[in-house]
Each structure stands twice: as C-alpha cells, then as structure tokens.
Amino acid sequence: MRVDQITMREIRLALKEPFRISSGEFRERRILLLELVSSDGARAWSECVAGETPNYSPETIDTAWTMIEQHVAPRALSRAFDHPGEAHAFFERDFRGHQMAKAAVEMGLWGLAATEADEPLGRFIGGTRAGIEVGISLGIQPSPEALVAKALAALAEGYRKIKIKIEPGRDVEWVRAVREAAGPSAHLMADANNAYTLDDAEHLAKFDALDLLMIEQPLAWDDLVRHAKLQKRLKTAICLDESITSLERAQDMVALHSGRIVNIKPGRVGGFSSAIAIHDYCQEMAIPVWCGGMFESGVGRAYNVALASLPNFTLPGDVSPSARYWTADVVSPEWVMDDGIVRVPLDQPGIGVAVDEAQIDSLTVRTATLRR
Ligand code: OSB
Ligand code: MG
C-alpha cells in the first residue's frame, strides 16, 4: 500500500449541549479530519481526536495540525507499507509523543487497508462482535436533581452504562442520588479526569458503598504510582484513561497494580496497532477493557466501533449515537443506537459510513494537502 495524498481539514461542529468535565468545558468541537488517497485510487477518511485546549492531554488540534503537516504525513508518504501494522513503530522512531497526531494518520492507513482489502474495518482487525453495548458519559450538571434526571432519561433510552463526571464537591452525594433513583442493577461509574490527589483517598473510599463498575482516572493524567496506592485503599476498581498512552504504560499499570480496568481510546495511544496491542495484552492479563470516546464525529466513531468489536471489549463503550452529540453528523448513515447497541457495519468495506463531502465543505475552516 502506498499513500499518494493526504488532505487535512479543520471543521467546526457545535455540540447540542455544552459538556463539562472537571478540567474544562466543551461547547463546540474543532475537528481535524484527514482524507488519504492510495496510489490505487482508494480513499479513506480518519479523524484526530485532539481537543481545542490541552486540558485532557498535552495535545491540541493546533499542535496536531502542525505535527501531522510537518512530520507524520510526510513520513506516511515517504514509503510503502505491506500492512498498516507497520506504521506505528515507524511513526515512533525518533519522534516523541504526539500520539493523537500519529493516530489520526495511522488509523487512516488501517481504514485505507481495509478498503483496499474489500473488508469491513472491524473484521479486518479481527473483531468478532456485530454490535457494541453503549454507555453514556454525562457531564457535570448544575445540580444533583439535574444529574438524576439525565441519568434516568439515559437508562430509559436504553444506555447500558452511565458514566458520571465528578469533581470535588460534586461527587459522592451526586452519584449516590443517581444510585438511589436508578436502583441497584444500573451500571454506574464515575470519571474524575484527574480532579483528586492521594489526600482524598478516604473521601474516595466512600464510593465503595455505591457499587460502581469503576472509578475512572481519579488522580493525575500521567500518574501510575499514586493510583496504585489509591487502589489499595479502594474496593472500587480504578480504570485508567489519561495515564495509558502506550502498551508499556498498560504493562506498568498491571505491574504496579495501579488499576484493574483500561479505557482504550485509539487516539490517546497512537492508533490502532497500539490499541490492539493493549487489548491483546489486557486479555492475557484478564483485565477488561472498553472503548472510550472523545466526542468524535461520525468518522472517528467508525474507528471506535470497529475497535470495540474485538473480543476483550467486554464493558459498554462511550460510543453514543450521532444524535447524542450533533444536530447533523458528517456521515451517512448516522450512527444510531437500538436497545443500547450500536451495530458494527459489516456489510461494506472500510469504515462503513460515507462522508457527506458537501456538508464537510460547508463546515471547513482550513485545509492543507500533502503529496508524495
Ligand atoms: O475522560 O473520557 C473522558 C470527552 C472529552 C475528554 C475526555 C473524556 C470525554 C468523555 C466523552 O467522557 C465520552 C464520549 O465521547 O461520549
Ligand atoms: Mg475519562
């Protein structure tokens, strides 16, 4: 496979409602999309998940734009690949960090390879599921009552897991209110996005009474050692998100006992090869994984859905349907949820959805095209 051309575009998509996490608020997504063209004329779209501000990881859409334009895309255009699985190691060579920038191009290569192989992306990577159980991620609400209302509405819509964003002052009592309203069988979890320190261990142990599936990333974004100390003091399983940026960090998590579950976001770990390697390793170690989300457009969602069809993605993923986020998504068909399940598109090759190019043109604020 040879890539002849990579077109970068930034589009703007307004979220239906603002989304607040402990480290910041999102109202609109500035989304970086790529379109790769192979020397055989095959085309594939991919998405960079970096946000507007560096509140989740050090990357932003602007750092990713620069890195892709100056470093990642030129590398991808510089040689042929027998298989997209070769790209990750090639992008890592003497090139530190910038996982989201690397992942956008690397995943595009997987999308392109699946298209050229005439196989659905999920099957191409060895996925076995035809549908993905969906969890919703609820942003920090103005009051516990508002949170309870959102959680009950989501359960009524069929969501299989409710993730509640928390921060100091809006945590145990807020989640307890949801537990009391939703009943003992609801699958609930909390995500702190780094809002706590080890000094909060005693407070966080109060979550143990609420029978949560897990608590996601309570401590610093790049921490493993303190999470291990905290995990010793909690019955509730810690799930790591921000801290797992590579297979090696997942191995460290297991070695240190920093957590018992991994949220895999392919963008955060440098792409599909790394995400699949973490999946395989966790499966060997009996660590359940699930697919996280970064408010992807329908393009990035296609990759998450394909990835989540691998067998060890045993917990519901943050792969909500298009209508949860956008008035109109940029793909057709839009992603839909039926009885809490998003279907893995297995009836067509590649990423399984078509990009609405006229709509994308109307949303585009900048472009760049790189050629071999
Ligand atoms: O921590 O999982 C997170 C969105 C932006 C940044 C970080 C996170 C999230 C989400 C969104 O929780 C989940 C989704 O895309 O539905
Ligand atoms: Mg998270």
Side-chain angles (χ1 to χ4, degrees):
M1 181 173 64
R2 259 224 94 120
V3 185
D4 273 358
Q5 183 180 304
I6 300 178
T7 302
M8 308 171 60
R9 300 179 176 245
E10 179 181 337
I11 64 164
R12 307 259 162 120
L13 267 186
L15 283 162
K16 269 188 177 171
E17 50 181 64
F19 187 86
R20 198 157 81 73
I21 68 175
S22 64
S23 58
E25 191 181 63
F26 303 76
R27 290 179 171 270
E28 183 194 52
R29 281 292 269 128
R30 293 173 56 196
I31 298 174
L32 169 46
L33 295 176
L34 303 180
E35 188 186 19
L36 288 72
V37 184
S38 79
S39 55
D40 296 331
R43 289 167 179 267
W45 288 82
S46 67
E47 176 166 346
C48 179
V49 300
E52 186 163 357
T53 63
N55 65 318
Y56 170 81
S57 85
E59 291 186 85
T60 69
I61 179 171
D62 297 301
T63 68
W65 185 283
T66 302
M67 284 297 143
I68 292 172
E69 189 172 35
Q70 297 185 4
H71 301 285
V72 192
R75 271 196 198 199
L77 292 163
S78 74
R79 56 165 274 194
F81 297 92
D82 288 329
H83 190 274
E86 296 166 5
H88 176 65
F90 181 58
F91 292 170
E92 283 300 299
R93 195 177 303 160
D94 302 325
F95 185 170
R96 314 292 180 240
H98 301 283
Q99 286 86 353
M100 292 175 179
K102 290 168 178 168
V105 179
E106 197 255 13
M107 289 157 76
L109 291 173
W110 283 89
L112 200 56
T115 305
E116 290 199 336
D118 205 27
E119 269 196 80
L121 181 60
R123 285 292 180 264
F124 185 75
I125 63 169
T128 52
R129 288 168 208 284
I132 310 300
E133 285 193 292
V134 183
I136 193 169
S137 174
L138 295 177
I140 295 170
Q141 300 297 315
S143 67
E145 294 72 32
L147 173 63
V148 167
K150 290 262 183 216
L152 294 181
L155 288 169
E157 270 185 81
Y159 282 99
R160 303 289 178 98
K161 183 186 83 186
I162 309 285
K163 164 163 133 177
I164 301 163
K165 294 288 186 177
I166 57 167
E167 66 184 2
R170 296 182 171 83
D171 49 27
V172 179
E173 292 316 315
W174 294 48
V175 176
R176 191 192 310 281
V178 175
R179 171 57 80 208
E180 282 169 3
S185 63
H187 292 147
L188 305 182
M189 62 171 291
D191 185 0
N193 293 105
N194 328 311
Y196 298 89
T197 71
L198 257 189
D199 293 341
D200 300 310
E202 207 172 309
H203 178 66
L204 293 171
K206 295 179 193 153
F207 279 116
D208 286 346
L210 301 179
D211 192 26
L212 304 184
L213 288 173
M214 66 194 99
I215 177 168
E216 188 173 337
Q217 197 75 34
L219 307 181
W221 66 281
D222 57 350
D223 176 80
L224 289 166
V225 171
R226 290 158 195 79
H227 277 106
K229 291 189 174 156
L230 179 62
Q231 181 67 89
K232 281 202 178 67
R233 299 181 60 180
L234 301 184
K235 286 201 205 68
T236 307
I238 291 176
C239 167
L240 293 181
D241 172 357
E242 284 90 332
S243 289
I244 306 299
T245 50
S246 63
L247 171 63
E248 290 74 18
R249 293 296 86 74
Q251 292 167 337
D252 295 348
M253 180 197 93
V254 172
L256 295 167
H257 305 287
S258 317
R260 302 191 192 128
I261 298 174
V262 178
N263 165 338
I264 300 183
K265 296 176 180 172
R268 193 194 63 228
V269 301
F272 258 34
S273 291
S274 172
I276 294 166
I278 293 169
H279 163 275
D280 294 351
Y281 169 73
C282 287
Q283 185 162 25
E284 255 171 62
M285 293 309 198
I287 301 277
V289 305
W290 55 284
C291 185
M294 291 291 290
F295 298 139
E296 289 87 351
S297 80
V299 173
R301 201 159 300 280
Y303 287 86
N304 289 349
V305 168
L307 183 69
S309 73
L310 293 172
N312 192 39
F313 280 86
T314 52
L315 292 160
D318 282 347
V319 286
S320 290
S322 301
R324 150 92 177 121
Y325 311 92
W326 322 111
T327 305
D329 204 338
V330 297
V331 297
S332 64
E334 292 204 346
W335 294 97
V336 292
M337 179 174 80
D338 182 23
D339 191 25
I341 303 283
V342 165
R343 211 175 52 77
V344 183
L346 295 171
D347 45 4
Q348 47 184 315
I351 69 170
V353 284
V355 167
D356 181 341
E357 302 208 19
Q359 191 205 351
I360 290 209
D361 277 341
S362 73
L363 298 169
T364 297
V365 297
R366 60 171 160 167
T367 67
T369 298
L370 293 114
R371 292 189 184 80
R372 168 149 90 86

